[in-house]
Amino acid sequence: MSISHTLLGLLEAGPRHGYDLKRAFDARFGQDRPLHYGQVYSTMSRLLKNGLVEVDGIEAGGGPERKRYAITDAGVTDVEDWLATPEKPEPYLQSVLYTKVVLALLTGRNADSLLDMQRAEHLRLMRGLTRRKATGDLADQLICDHALFHLEADLRWLDLTAARLDRLASEIHT
């Protein structure tokens, strides 16, 4: 995820302080991985340096001064360009799972049990996501669906690999 573009997009609704940006980010996108305050402020500093945001005001408080940031025209253009650029699909051509299966076979370890353990871990995560999806709002449901579809694809790969283990073992040992 592009944190800088996400923060810029949140600023399009109007100027905000770093604290408000963090809260808005966490509410919409950070349920599983909330932003750290340091990450917000370092990102805002970089966006300020690059001319994508400007300081819209400074307020004195009980602690440090609070800067209110506003997106610039260049920032709006940057968000528009980012939204108009398709994300590169991840082909997973060299996955960690594949590497573990091949190394298990090369070293004489049990690749079947490795696949079984991985299948159990995928199913455990899928059960948790399914529970979360059942109680979540639409945004949470969509996020869970995305993860579930990827995990289902992994499960299909695990089953296919298990069915082909003997053949794979003979090919890598030749």
Side-chain angles (χ1 to χ4, degrees):
M1 173 188 303
S2 173
I3 292 169
S4 59
H5 286 109
T6 305
L7 294 177
L8 283 171
L10 290 171
L11 281 173
E12 283 199 58
R16 297 182 191 215
H17 298 95
Y19 176 80
D20 297 328
L21 282 169
K22 179 197 173 353
R23 280 194 353 217
F25 180 96
D26 289 352
R28 295 266 186 225
F29 312 107
Q31 295 91 342
D32 297 316
R33 290 180 23 205
L35 282 180
H36 297 286
Y37 284 106
Q39 192 173 11
V40 172
Y41 293 110
S42 65
T43 301
M44 296 313 296
S45 177
R46 192 170 45 257
L47 293 172
L48 187 62
K49 182 179 136 195
N50 292 335
L52 301 176
V53 298
E54 60 191 8
V55 175
D56 186 56
I58 298 177
E59 298 172 10
E65 294 179 333
R66 292 178 33 150
K67 292 179 184 174
R68 188 175 53 245
Y69 298 96
I71 191 168
T72 63
D73 290 341
V76 171
T77 300
D78 199 54
V79 172
E80 286 173 355
D81 291 346
W82 180 65
L83 291 173
T85 304
E87 290 297 307
K88 181 181 178 213
E90 293 293 331
Y92 303 109
L93 291 178
Q94 191 63 33
S95 77
V96 174
L97 291 176
Y98 171 78
T99 302
K100 284 185 169 188
V101 168
V102 170
L103 285 176
L105 292 172
L106 284 172
T107 60
R109 292 181 172 89
N110 189 336
D112 277 315
S113 68
L114 183 150
L115 292 170
D116 289 343
M117 286 187 317
Q118 191 63 53
R119 186 179 297 103
E121 184 61 17
H122 271 62
L123 291 171
R124 183 195 63 74
L125 181 55
M126 290 175 80
R127 284 190 295 275
L129 288 168
T130 301
R131 282 190 301 275
R132 177 176 164 183
K133 179 180 162 183
T135 60
D137 61 9
L138 180 58
D140 215 31
Q141 291 170 14
L142 290 170
I143 289 168
C144 289
D145 280 338
H146 186 265
L148 286 165
F149 293 152
H150 282 274
L151 290 167
E152 287 174 4
D154 284 351
L155 283 176
R156 287 193 310 270
W157 181 86
L158 290 168
D159 290 342
L160 180 66
T161 302
R164 294 178 174 173
L165 265 184
D166 290 339
R167 185 171 150 209
L168 180 60
S170 68
E171 285 186 16
I172 64 174
H173 286 297
T174 57

